Amino acid sequence: MSPTRIYSIVLRQVILNRRSWGRWVGLLYWPTIDLVVWGTLSVFIQKAGGGQFNAFVFLIGSVILMNFIWRSQQGIAVSFLEDVWTRNFVNLFSSPLTLGEYIVGLTATAILRVLFSIAAMCVLAWLLFAFNIFAFGFYLIPFLAILFIFSVAVGFFSVGITLRIGPSAEALVWSIPAIIAPLSGAMYPISVLPLWIQKISLLLPSTYVFEGMRAVIVAGAFNTQALGIAFLLSVFYLLFSIYYVFRSYRTVLRRGLFSRFSTTD
């Protein structure tokens, strides 16, 4: 891999974001809306329950962690879709750029996006609700690491789907994080879900993170075995998604389907 070509992908995205106020608004608007809506609701539930149930910390923590998944996945998927929308995908791969360099560049872009978006969200949570995300202590590091690996895997899988199906897969790409949230029990324990859905939920590493977050809040400790399972699952999904991207790319080349990304459907 060429560090120069990887850097060029990152630099291109930085320049695009720097020159577009719309992209900056996109990075901040939805996280802010989620935080205000769920934060206000959690304050109401807290007061209505007489302070006996700590709904505030549960919901605000879940919103921030769920947005971490959302922003990381979109950092990869949306950056790729922008190349599809502008019909620039074929131009990129007419150069010496390889697919591996491209996805590493997208991953680096996702890191920058999520750092900015989540940092702004944490500051806003502190200013509006005096919520400190660092109250989770040491567990915050493995929580974020697992969620990032998993969300990158979801992002790569989104790229693979788009390569396979074509630009028309955009709606499916946008909907994937929305499916992950309820299955992972982001806002509630998965024990309230039907039994057959719980079995699906246990296949998602994000489920163990949200359940672990609630365990830390209630008991101040977390099952390290569950944390290990979540890490192994996230690594498995990452490896599978990378394989799927390369497999989809080779299929596009073999079948001569690159024209789908240079002309309007």
Side-chain angles (χ1 to χ4, degrees):
M1 288 190 180
S2 169
T4 302
R5 289 195 287 268
I6 294 173
Y7 172 73
S8 68
I9 296 296
V10 178
L11 181 61
R12 177 177 179 273
Q13 293 296 327
V14 170
I15 293 174
L16 286 174
N17 283 275
R18 188 179 63 185
R19 295 183 178 181
S20 173
W21 284 104
R23 288 183 171 87
W24 285 104
V25 172
L27 286 174
L28 296 173
Y29 177 76
W30 290 114
T32 302
I33 293 297
D34 284 343
L35 185 64
V36 171
V37 170
W38 287 102
T40 306
L41 177 63
S42 63
V43 170
F44 168 74
I45 295 175
Q46 187 80 8
K47 291 181 178 179
Q52 297 180 2
F53 177 67
N54 199 359
F56 176 77
V57 179
F58 276 94
L59 292 179
I60 293 296
S62 295
V63 168
I64 292 177
L65 293 181
M66 192 60 225
N67 268 272
F68 187 86
I69 296 177
W70 207 300
R71 298 308 136 198
S72 300
Q73 185 262 356
Q74 288 188 352
I76 294 175
V78 174
S79 297
F80 169 74
L81 285 173
E82 284 180 340
D83 288 325
V84 174
W85 295 330
T86 57
R87 310 300 168 188
N88 188 50
F89 189 68
V90 175
N91 296 334
L92 287 173
F93 287 95
S94 298
S95 70
L97 181 71
T98 65
L99 181 61
E101 292 165 346
Y102 181 66
I103 63 175
V104 170
L106 293 185
T107 304
T109 301
I111 293 174
L112 296 177
R113 282 175 177 261
V114 75
L115 285 177
F116 174 80
S117 182
I118 297 303
M121 198 174 186
C122 290
V123 171
L124 194 60
W126 172 256
L127 294 176
L128 294 179
F129 305 107
F131 175 80
N132 182 12
I133 188 65
F134 298 104
F136 293 112
F138 167 78
Y139 288 102
L140 184 63
I141 297 175
F143 283 169
L144 294 182
I146 291 169
L147 290 181
F148 181 74
I149 295 172
F150 178 56
S151 57
V152 168
V154 175
F156 288 162
F157 186 69
S158 303
V159 172
I161 289 176
T162 308
L163 286 172
R164 282 281 184 141
I165 301 177
S168 60
E170 176 185 343
L172 180 59
V173 169
W174 285 103
S175 67
I176 291 177
I179 298 173
I180 292 174
L183 289 178
S184 301
M187 301 297 176
Y188 44 75
I190 63 169
S191 58
V192 304
L193 296 172
L195 184 60
W196 66 273
I197 296 182
Q198 291 182 39
K199 294 179 180 179
I200 298 175
S201 298
L202 292 176
L203 297 176
L204 300 175
S206 50
T207 299
Y208 297 90
V209 171
F210 288 115
E211 291 288 322
M213 178 200 70
R214 287 185 280 268
V216 170
I217 294 172
V218 173
F222 179 52
N223 185 348
T224 54
Q225 182 179 358
L227 198 67
I229 293 173
F231 177 75
L232 293 176
L233 282 173
S234 62
V235 171
F236 169 77
Y237 287 129
L238 178 62
L239 295 175
F240 173 78
S241 64
I242 292 174
Y243 165 79
Y244 183 68
V245 168
F246 279 88
R247 181 68 178 269
S248 299
Y249 181 73
R250 287 195 295 267
T251 299
V252 168
L253 289 179
R254 187 174 65 252
R255 297 181 181 178
L257 300 177
F258 254 105
S259 59
R260 295 185 303 184
F261 301 98
S262 60
T263 58
T264 304
D265 286 350

